[in-house]
Amino acid sequence: MGNQAGFHKWKLLKNAGLAGAVVLMTLSLALPAFAFDYEKWIGKEGMADTFDELLAQYDSSACEKCHAAIHGEWKESFHAVSIISSLKSITGFYTKGIQSEWGREFSLAESVKCLDCHIPQVNTATERLSREIGDMIILSGTKPDSAEGKAAKAKLEKLSINCVVCHNLKANMAAIGYLKQPTKEPTDADKALGITARVYTGHSKGNAPHSVTETNGMKNSVFCEQCHGIWVSPDGEKIQCNSLSGSYEDSYRARGGYKTCQDCHMWEKDRGHRMPGGHDFDGIVKESMVMDVDALAIQRFPDNSSASGKWIPSVVASVRITSTAGHRIPDG
Amino acid sequence: MAEYRKDYIHMGIDVDNYQRHGAWQIKEIVDLSIQPLEVQKERIEMSLPEGTEEASFNVRLLYFVKGGTSTVVAEYSKELIYQ
């Protein structure tokens, strides 16, 4: 509905002459209405108002039964700890940022500025539940050693970038126009298998007993870039935890690199759903940089002057660091 | 011990060009990082005390993931003799 209202205003602007300036201002204020309509997308289940309802909407236990090896890889990934690994930073955002520096009240609209990537599930939570989750984050971030803080963390640990988040919720967003009618709702046959969301993958169905919607979007960097890059909030705020996607698109590809995020972080060396990155010191980090050094011992004049008749022992060296990564190092 | 250090960083700055760490504050970056598919070249000259006869020359490339957590990505050592 918000999109339709915005569209009519745009048509008005085209035809309105002098009145256009006023309409233009209205249009810019209406921009947040163009944000994705999660309430419509989530379907008949409706927005989750309790923590358990939210967990149920994104329950991936049916996936684990057959995809145990992939689940095991994922458990080692940062995606599996997407919220609890960042409690301190997000707490800082919510308390120092939103409440103190910006002087705003905490709300769902503010919370998604972190959580649309850290736990995108919050998009289908009610305002009340989003505040409850925000309180849990702040409690576990500010009082990590207290009993309440530990309990909040234990609860938050159940939320993460799990199967449903990538293979449904975020799968839909990277190329939403291309996917025509993305849906959360699984088929009735899939529901009978305990599957909680329509499965989108970059691969063909194979022998899967459930339905699969194949999308090339998930095989391309654009899929990962939804979170691993600058994120612009529906209200226009630019959130720049990292800017990997910009470096990838404008530096790596500009220099003729054509690997995707998935090539390096998933498919090469069977990294799979571990998707290692900057924390994988002995793996992908060390592979991404090669250092070559030449050094020469010389005796040189002090200040390039031979007047003193002395020489100073010195070393001249050349250091060359070759990066094979698909983005700047470091980033974010 | 003589030391030369070069930092490669990706620095966040706010709209007033102050360096910031908060994700709610960072609006631009200053990119002093190692660029993809490029060779970062450094040329270094270091002087030693007069009369030095031997020196150990070491280069270490360290990667810091956050704070003080780091790993040595590559190392180079050479013994220098002065006659």
Side-chain angles (χ1 to χ4, degrees), chain A residues 195-253:
Chain A
I195 293 170
T196 56
R198 189 73 56 94
V199 179
Y200 292 84
T201 79
H203 305 287
S204 60
K205 186 175 185 297
N207 60 358
H210 55 80
S211 67
V212 164
T213 304
E214 191 177 351
T215 167
N216 281 330
M218 286 195 76
K219 292 193 281 194
N220 292 332
S221 295
V222 67
F223 173 70
C224 311
E225 288 173 357
Q226 292 177 88
C227 285
H228 296 276
I230 295 170
W231 188 88
V232 180
S233 162
D235 71 4
E237 190 77 39
K238 184 175 135 184
I239 307 298
Q240 196 156 317
C241 298
N242 70 78
S243 51
L244 275 172
S245 62
S247 178
Y248 170 81
E249 295 290 350
D250 297 330
S251 295
Y252 173 72
R253 290 185 79 102

Side-chain angles (χ1 to χ4, degrees), chain A residues 89-209:
Chain A
S89 314
I90 297 173
T91 297
F93 195 112
Y94 287 174
T95 56
K96 289 182 199 160
I98 292 170
Q99 294 176 8
S100 180
E101 291 188 18
W102 291 355
R104 291 184 183 178
E105 290 225 0
F106 187 80
S107 65
L108 176 59
E110 300 298 342
S111 77
V112 294
K113 288 169 185 171
C114 295
L115 302 188
D116 187 58
C117 288
H118 284 274
I119 41 169
Q121 294 94 323
V122 80
N123 282 298
T124 57
T126 60
E127 186 69 45
R128 193 209 65 76
L129 179 56
S130 77
R131 286 170 192 257
E132 183 185 319
I133 291 171
D135 287 342
M136 282 193 273
I137 291 169
I138 293 169
L139 184 60
S140 53
T142 53
K143 297 178 180 173
D145 299 322
S146 70
E148 314 96 278
K150 286 177 182 172
K153 184 180 176 183
K155 210 167 171 185
L156 288 168
E157 199 167 14
K158 296 174 183 173
L159 290 171
S160 59
I161 311 294
N162 71 1
C163 312
V164 178
V165 169
C166 282
H167 287 279
N168 183 279
L169 180 59
K170 286 293 179 184
N172 290 335
M173 302 304 165
I176 196 161
Y178 169 83
L179 280 171
K180 310 294 183 196
Q181 294 294 330
T183 180
K184 164 78 163 58
E185 192 72 5
T187 64
D188 289 341
D190 291 350
K191 280 183 196 170
L193 296 169
I195 293 170
T196 56
R198 189 73 56 94
V199 179
Y200 292 84
T201 79
H203 305 287
S204 60
K205 186 175 185 297
N207 60 358

Side-chain angles (χ1 to χ4, degrees), chain A residues 237-238 295 300 314 321 332, chain B residues 10 27 40 45 48 78 82:
Chain A
E237 190 77 39
K238 184 175 135 184
R300 64 170 297 178
S314 301
I321 303 165
Chain B
H10 169 252
K27 298 300 171 196
Q40 179 75 36
E45 185 205 345
L48 301 167
K78 185 174 184 178
Y82 296 90

Side-chain angles (χ1 to χ4, degrees), chain A residues 92-93 96-97 101-102 237-238 240-241 243 251-252 255 257 278-279 281 285-286 289 291 293 295 297-300 310 312-323 325-332, chain B residues 8-10 23-29 31 33-52 57 59 61 63 65 69-76 78 80-83:
Chain A
F93 195 112
K96 289 182 199 160
E101 291 188 18
W102 291 355
E237 190 77 39
K238 184 175 135 184
Q240 196 156 317
C241 298
S243 51
S251 295
Y252 173 72
R255 290 172 171 92
H279 294 265
F281 286 167
V285 169
K286 287 187 178 169
M289 288 175 278
M291 184 177 75
V293 183
I298 62 168
Q299 299 274 10
R300 64 170 297 178
K310 292 181 178 177
I312 301 292
S314 301
V315 57
V316 287
S318 298
V319 179
R320 294 170 290 276
I321 303 165
T322 305
S323 166
H327 47 76
R328 65 170 73 80
I329 303 174
D331 187 281
Chain B
Y8 304 98
I9 58 169
H10 169 252
W24 69 95
Q25 300 162 319
I26 296 169
K27 298 300 171 196
E28 304 277 359
I29 60 163
D31 191 350
S33 64
I34 294 171
Q35 296 300 305
L37 299 186
E38 277 206 350
V39 181
Q40 179 75 36
K41 297 174 184 171
E42 308 293 344
R43 297 174 74 185
I44 302 158
E45 185 205 345
M46 297 167 77
S47 293
L48 301 167
E50 198 177 336
T52 299
F57 178 71
V59 181
L61 176 62
Y63 172 81
V65 69
T69 310
S70 68
T71 188
V72 177
V73 173
E75 272 187 293
Y76 170 91
K78 185 174 184 178
L80 306 175
I81 309 294
Y82 296 90
Q83 296 172 345

